[in-house]
Amino acid sequence: MIVSRVKGIAKLGVASQCLVATLVFWLWLPVSQGRWELRDLDLHRYGLYNAILIIGIIFAYATAADNRWFTQLAFSAAHRHALRQTVFAGGFLLVLVNGEKDQTISRIFLFTLLPVLYGFLSETERFFPSFLNKLSFGGIRRQRVLMAGCFRNAANLRGWLASKEMLGYSIAGLLCHDRFDGDVGDFKLLGTAEDLERIIDEQGITQVILAEFPQFGHLLTHYSDVCERHGVRLQIVCDFERTLRHPVSMFEDEGVRFIGLRAEPLEDPFNRLTKRCLDIFVALPVVLFILPFTTLLVAVLQWRCSPGPIFIRQLRSGLQNHPFVIYKYRTMNVANDDPGRQAAKGDSRIYPGGQWLRKLSVDELPQFINVLLCDMSVVGPRPHMIEHDEHFAQGLMNYPVRANVKPGITGLAQVRGFRGETKTANDVMKRVENDIYYLENWSFLWDCAIILRTIGQVVIPPTTAF
């Protein structure tokens, strides 16, 4: 399996780095002291620091987002990884020194060790991968790979295949499923699916990669049977995203494997509980301490400019498209001839001063009552009027998906600038893309970040706010 080789060479590389770091540690100790006689030092204590150093290097690798260590030789990547390891190793050492207030360890040794360690680690990042890959995947461990499938799909894998050559993979050629008469480029055209058994014998094939999931069951059975009979590894590129024209999520439950169109973190009740706790933590102080003051302010403004009800109540679509009544401060004149029309810049229906309530998002504050009533969340897709939802759903196939999570006072689309009037279909599409992305990638910290960004936009309103 390719992934096993990638992970294995990375672990082997980090183990080699730990060995190099240990050698550097014990060789640099006498150099930094200016003498080779170290009997007066507590070598057992230094052994502990050596172990902590190694733990820091391993921790830096284990927590890194980039899992391609020791499969790439880029200069910038090598130094970035080495710097990360040095920072973690140095941080662990300093925590131990300060925590125990150890006066026996040489400070000169510690502070001069880190730049020396960084230099050696960066060199191992650059030159060890090639050596380790040749040592691990040379000779009999090299894989003779046969690509199979439609030419277009196989051609899309060229870049990926080139990056795996250092892992011992060499491409023998292509078995083409379609009748392609053009230039096959870097591939050597060896035949069709019917020639599989002959090609395996003639070319010494050890692995077959299908460039797409076969549309016909008998073709998959043919490849599986032939490969098993010859002891050849068979791997199939999962192209469900291309087939379904949508990203997919794979999961398993009690031995049953599924493919879904998206992950939904908020289907986890614990995640919903943490989100609800955040909602209450934010909404309750607003309703108790801010809303009374703003209500008085809005009442005075309306009494001077547009007498009438302080609040407006509108029917909006909520979770799973269940309607609910949303609360807002009234910013338009009571005599509104078209309440369903979206507000636009310079809208004559907005009374004097109402535009500032809208620009500073003060008119949205009563929606914190909706949050406490469980109709809304602080963060989520903005709820639209029901008639607008019906209109948008006709133009965007995936628009109703956003109803799978509670609507919010603010959301990812809003903090990214997609707020205000939706003048074009592209405006709606951008909002929906961000709403669905939020639904698929929700996290508690992300909610906190969106709330903080929203506060910033209230202080300095974007140009789309009116």
Side-chain angles (χ1 to χ4, degrees):
M1 294 290 287
I2 293 175
V3 67
S4 298
R5 291 197 169 199
V6 172
K7 291 181 178 179
I9 201 67
K11 293 174 184 176
L12 186 59
V14 173
S16 302
Q17 284 186 311
C18 291
L19 178 60
V20 169
T22 299
L23 293 174
V24 170
F25 183 94
W26 290 106
L27 290 175
W28 186 250
L29 180 57
V31 172
S32 66
Q33 303 302 301
R35 55 194 171 89
W36 290 97
E37 185 60 45
L38 303 174
R39 291 181 180 178
D40 57 330
L41 296 180
D42 186 352
L43 297 184
H44 292 289
R45 193 69 180 168
Y46 277 91
L48 173 61
Y49 282 95
N50 184 191
I52 294 298
L53 186 80
I54 298 304
I55 291 173
I57 292 173
I58 296 174
F59 186 82
Y61 161 72
T63 58
D66 188 353
N67 61 359
R68 295 176 297 166
W69 285 22
F70 286 92
T71 61
Q72 57 183 7
L73 301 175
F75 178 84
S76 60
H79 282 270
R80 185 173 66 251
H81 293 156
L83 180 60
R84 176 184 173 85
Q85 289 175 310
T86 305
V87 168
F88 272 94
F92 280 26
L93 287 175
L94 291 176
V95 168
L96 180 61
V97 171
N98 293 329
E100 297 196 353
K101 302 188 183 318
D102 190 349
Q103 300 299 322
T104 62
I105 192 80
S106 170
R107 271 34 177 193
I108 294 176
F109 166 68
L110 279 182
F111 288 106
T112 56
L113 172 67
L114 294 180
V116 174
L117 180 66
Y118 168 73
F120 274 92
L121 289 178
S122 61
E123 291 306 299
T124 60
E125 288 279 356
R126 293 182 61 196
F127 299 112
F128 272 33
S130 177
F131 170 74
L132 291 175
N133 279 301
K134 288 179 181 178
L135 184 66
S136 303
F137 307 126
I140 198 171
R141 288 290 180 181
R142 290 195 64 81
Q143 294 288 307
R144 187 80 169 150
V145 180
L146 174 66
M147 290 294 298
C150 298
F151 173 77
R152 184 184 301 275
N153 295 333
N156 291 335
L157 297 175
R158 277 192 183 125
W160 174 80
L161 288 168
S163 70
K164 302 307 171 188
E165 287 183 7
M166 65 184 304
L167 293 175
Y169 289 86
S170 60
I171 306 302
L174 171 68
L175 288 186
C176 205
H177 289 175
D178 52 356
R179 297 184 178 278
F180 185 79
D181 299 324
D183 181 18
V184 294
D186 300 332
F187 293 114
K188 181 180 179 181
L189 191 58
L190 299 177
T192 62
E194 289 76 15
D195 303 312
L196 175 62
E197 196 155 13
R198 175 180 61 82
I199 298 300
I200 288 177
D201 289 331
E202 291 180 358
Q203 298 288 334
I205 301 299
T206 59
Q207 184 161 313
V208 174
I209 297 179
L210 277 171
E212 71 273 334
F213 202 88
Q215 296 182 1
F216 304 103
H218 72 275
L219 191 59
L220 179 60
T221 302
H222 171 65
Y223 273 95
S224 177
D225 290 347
V226 172
C227 289
E228 288 291 291
R229 189 161 57 247
H230 288 265
V232 172
R233 295 178 177 89
L234 173 64
Q235 297 189 78
I236 305 172
V237 175
C238 180
D239 63 338
F240 294 133
E241 293 190 0
R242 180 184 60 82
T243 304
L244 298 173
R245 294 180 297 176
H246 193 285
V248 298
S249 174
M250 299 185 183
F251 56 95
E252 180 180 336
D253 182 66
E254 296 186 4
V256 182
R257 296 183 179 181
F258 297 90
I259 297 175
L261 294 185
R262 58 182 50 84
E264 295 187 53
L266 286 174
E267 280 296 285
D268 182 332
F270 181 80
N271 289 343
R272 291 204 302 272
L273 176 62
T274 58
K275 184 174 177 65
R276 181 59 184 163
C277 290
L278 178 63
D279 288 342
I280 294 173
F281 178 79
V282 174
L284 195 58
V286 173
V287 172
L288 292 179
F289 303 112
I290 298 178
L291 209 57
F293 171 75
T294 56
T295 301
L296 179 61
L297 179 67
V298 172
V300 172
L301 180 64
Q302 290 181 354
W303 173 68
R304 293 289 302 272
C305 302
S306 178
I310 298 174
F311 300 96
I312 60 170
R313 305 196 316 163
Q314 294 178 335
L315 204 61
R316 299 288 176 97
S317 293
L319 181 65
Q320 304 297 345
N321 288 315
H322 288 290
F324 71 98
V325 176
I326 194 173
Y327 298 96
K328 298 180 68 174
Y329 287 130
R330 181 175 60 85
T331 58
M332 294 186 178
N333 294 308
V334 176
N336 185 351
D337 57 348
D338 190 1
R341 178 162 56 93
Q342 292 186 72
K345 199 165 187 176
D347 199 317
S348 60
R349 297 173 298 168
I350 302 175
Y351 59 76
Q355 68 272 21
W356 285 104
L357 297 180
R358 301 177 69 94
K359 191 174 185 67
L360 298 174
S361 301
V362 175
D363 63 320
E364 310 286 358
L365 287 177
Q367 292 169 36
F368 284 100
I369 298 175
N370 290 110
V371 173
L372 295 181
L373 293 174
C374 287
D375 294 325
M376 296 177 64
S377 178
V378 175
V379 181
R382 285 294 296 155
H384 297 147
M385 292 184 180
I386 293 178
E387 54 266 33
H388 291 170
D389 279 337
E390 294 172 352
H391 173 71
F392 294 149
Q394 293 176 0
L396 292 171
M397 180 179 62
N398 60 349
Y399 180 84
V401 173
R402 64 199 296 275
N404 289 339
V405 65
K406 271 187 186 179
I409 296 175
T410 185
L412 181 63
Q414 282 64 45
V415 299
R416 287 182 172 177
F418 302 108
R419 57 174 289 182
E421 183 184 9
T422 52
K423 296 180 180 179
T424 65
N426 186 62
D427 293 336
V428 183
M429 183 178 69
K430 290 296 184 181
R431 284 192 184 184
V432 173
E433 286 177 357
N434 281 277
D435 290 339
I436 294 179
Y437 187 81
Y438 169 80
L439 178 151
E440 295 174 345
N441 298 277
W442 174 90
S443 73
F444 180 82
L445 293 179
W446 207 8
D447 267 9
C448 295
I450 291 173
I451 291 171
L452 292 175
R453 288 184 63 180
T454 301
I455 294 173
Q457 291 188 357
V458 170
V459 176
I460 306 176
T463 56
T464 51
F466 53 81

